[in-house]
């Protein structure tokens, strides 16, 4: 069931939700949380699709906040709210309200969202793109227990990690961290199988991928060893190598689907380690609504500290070698001056 409301208010949207539930025969509210998605028109469809798939595991009321850009000063002075209420088959197992904000109401989105939150239910805010630098102090982020961002969608993801660390508040999390959950589980399980001491590690992945940095910071923080990062063609994370006193431990995933775990003295094992869709990542984040202390510790380790430790443990640069041509010039004796050529005799005329 779908209901379109033009130039409406929050109270009218709540009334449409009640009437819609009665019309489809489900007057009771069976939602476990409110998921607020703050996005633009371009990314709204993909974000809502992922949220609807995640709602099969976590039935929720999904509020999609789309801030429309007003092109003229006259339009910016006017405030208007359009809404689209979806229930039943159109909203998977939950309820969906798409809010389009125009004019001055764009700067007061929290006043529109607040009356639509489920009472006595946790609130999660997700920014698929264009997340604020300090999510906890954002007007919408202040309403939530959990705030989900995605630095992979940022223009400068590595610099974004530093900003996230400076502004971290318990309850913040990032989908770039969620993407490496299977990697962390597999590496921890591999170390449980061998009694050894890790001396160094290397993380390989595509350039400008924040998951590579987060995994490297997690390893450096937990193992207290230098961790080097190297670039690959991807997709995403491709390999992790840990040097130990019992031999190397390597987790290699060149194709983004199937990985190979290699441990010294044991046969290689194939491991399912496919790249997950956004719906799976959101569903994982909704399973726990308490602060993620492990993410906070890894994030606060810092990219700069990671670079400093890698530089400290790197071998000293070797002095530039003299090229072979220069060596020949230095060691060869001075050449004798060329003898003056005698003019060739002209052939006698016949």
């Amino acid at each position: 069931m779908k209901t379109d409301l033009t130039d409406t208010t929050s109270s009218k949207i709540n009334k449409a939700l009640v009437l819609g539930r009665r019309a489809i025969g489900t007057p009771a509210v069976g939602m476990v949380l409110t998921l607020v998605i703050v996005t633009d028109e371009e990314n709204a469809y993909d974000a809502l699709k992922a949220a609807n798939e995640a709602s099969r595991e976590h039935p929720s009321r999904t509020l999609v906040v789309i801030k429309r850009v007003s092109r003229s000063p006259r339009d910016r002075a006017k405030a208007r709210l359009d809404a689209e209420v979806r229930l039943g088959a159109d909203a998977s197992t939950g309820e969906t309200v798409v809010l389009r904000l125009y004019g001055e109401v764009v700067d007061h989105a929290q006043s529109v969202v607040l009356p639509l939150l489920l009472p006595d239910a946790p609130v999660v805010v997700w920014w698929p793109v264009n997340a604020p630098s300090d999510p906890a102090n954002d007007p919408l982020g202040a309403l939530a227990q959990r705030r989900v961002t995605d630095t992979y969608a940022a223009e400068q993801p590595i610099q974004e990690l530093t900003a996230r660390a400076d502004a971290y508040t318990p309850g913040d999390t990032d989908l770039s961290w969620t993407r490496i959950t299977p990697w962390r589980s597999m590496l921890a399980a591999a170390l449980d199988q061998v009694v050894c001491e890790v001396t160094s590690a290397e993380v390989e992945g595509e350039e400008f991928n924040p998951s590579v940095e987060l995994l490297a910071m997690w390893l450096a923080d937990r193992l207290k060893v230098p961790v080097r990062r190297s670039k690959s063609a991807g997709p995403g994370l491709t390999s992790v190598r840990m040097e130990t006193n019992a031999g190397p431990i390597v987790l290699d995933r060149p194709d983004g689907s199937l990985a190979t775990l290699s441990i010294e003295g044991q046969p290689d094992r194939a491991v399912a380690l496919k790249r997950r869709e956004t719906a799976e990542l959101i569903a994982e984040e909704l399973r726990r609504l308490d602060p993620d202390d492990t993410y906070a510790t890894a994030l606060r380790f810092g990219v700069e500290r990671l670079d400093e430790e890698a530089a400290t443990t790197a071998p000293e640069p070797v002095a530039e070698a003299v090229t072979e041509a220069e060596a020949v010039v230095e060691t060869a004796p001075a050449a004798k001056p060329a003898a003056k050529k005698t003019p060739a005799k002209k052939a006698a005329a016949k």
Side-chain angles (χ1 to χ4, degrees):
M1 181 178 178
K2 187 183 296 185
T3 305
D4 291 326
L5 302 173
T6 304
D7 198 5
T8 185
T9 62
S10 298
S11 60
K12 292 180 180 179
I13 296 172
N14 267 321
K15 184 177 180 180
L17 285 168
V18 174
L19 294 176
R21 285 197 299 269
R22 290 177 180 173
I24 63 177
T26 57
V29 180
M31 308 295 110
V32 298
L33 58 90
T34 303
L35 175 61
V36 182
I37 304 174
V38 187
T39 183
D40 53 16
E41 199 72 61
E42 179 183 358
N43 297 278
Y45 175 81
D46 292 334
L48 185 55
K49 181 181 177 182
N52 285 339
E53 293 179 9
S55 69
R56 297 171 185 170
E57 183 178 341
H58 310 278
S60 58
R61 174 177 289 180
T62 303
L63 307 177
V64 184
V65 179
I66 302 175
K67 300 179 180 180
R68 300 297 297 267
V69 177
S70 300
R71 300 186 180 278
S72 66
R74 181 180 300 174
D75 293 337
R76 287 193 289 271
K78 296 179 181 178
R80 193 177 100 220
L81 171 64
D82 294 343
E84 184 179 323
V85 180
R86 303 178 186 179
L87 296 168
D90 292 320
S92 188
T93 59
E95 300 173 347
T96 300
V97 181
V98 181
L99 304 168
R100 290 182 171 86
L101 283 60
Y102 300 83
E104 293 181 347
V105 74
V106 168
D107 299 325
H108 305 280
Q110 72 279 5
S111 63
V112 177
V113 170
L114 187 59
L116 301 177
L117 300 179
L118 290 171
D120 301 325
V123 180
V124 179
V125 178
W126 171 33
W127 291 270
V129 293
N130 302 325
S133 57
D134 189 355
N137 287 328
D138 182 82
L140 285 173
L143 302 175
Q145 284 77 34
R146 288 298 299 270
R147 296 162 293 276
V148 184
T149 57
D150 191 358
T151 53
Y152 188 79
E155 186 175 352
Q156 296 181 331
I158 309 305
Q159 288 80 352
E160 195 77 12
L161 283 179
T162 304
R164 291 279 176 269
D166 295 337
Y168 176 80
T169 303
D172 293 352
T173 190
D174 197 277
L175 293 186
S176 295
W177 171 257
T178 316
R179 290 184 179 96
I180 63 174
T181 300
W183 286 83
R184 295 187 293 117
S185 302
M186 193 59 58
L187 292 172
L191 288 175
D192 286 341
Q193 300 177 30
V194 184
V195 179
C196 62
E197 181 181 350
V198 181
T199 57
S200 65
E202 180 180 1
V203 180
E204 183 182 81
E206 63 184 358
E207 192 176 5
F208 305 122
N209 191 325
S211 295
V212 177
E213 304 292 332
L214 284 170
L215 184 57
M217 289 189 287
W218 175 74
L219 286 172
D221 177 67
R222 291 293 170 175
L223 300 177
K224 311 300 180 186
V225 297
V227 180
R228 194 170 73 91
R229 287 102 68 218
S230 57
K231 301 175 185 177
S232 70
L237 277 163
T238 54
S239 177
V240 175
R241 181 184 181 90
M242 296 184 291
E243 299 291 344
T244 73
N245 56 2
I249 298 176
V250 181
L251 184 60
D252 184 46
R253 188 192 65 177
D255 59 354
S257 177
L258 189 65
T260 302
L261 178 62
S262 303
I263 301 177
E264 188 75 15
Q266 299 182 17
D268 293 350
R269 279 164 283 185
V271 180
L273 204 62
K274 72 179 184 69
R275 304 190 74 194
R276 297 183 293 170
E277 299 293 335
T278 306
E280 298 178 68
L281 303 176
I282 287 295
E284 179 183 327
E285 285 299 333
L286 296 181
R287 289 187 196 118
R288 51 174 297 174
L289 299 178
D290 56 321
D292 192 343
D293 296 331
T294 307
Y295 166 70
T297 305
L299 185 65
R300 286 170 172 165
F301 186 87
V303 179
E304 295 83 0
R305 182 178 169 189
L306 199 64
D307 292 332
E308 290 174 1
E309 293 192 1
T312 303
T313 56
E316 296 183 0
V318 182
E320 185 177 356
V322 182
T323 62
E324 184 180 354
E326 292 173 340
V328 170
V329 172
E330 291 178 0
T331 57
K336 294 181 179 180
K340 189 176 181 181
K341 292 185 178 180
T342 56
K345 294 182 179 180
K346 294 183 180 181
K350 290 185 180 179

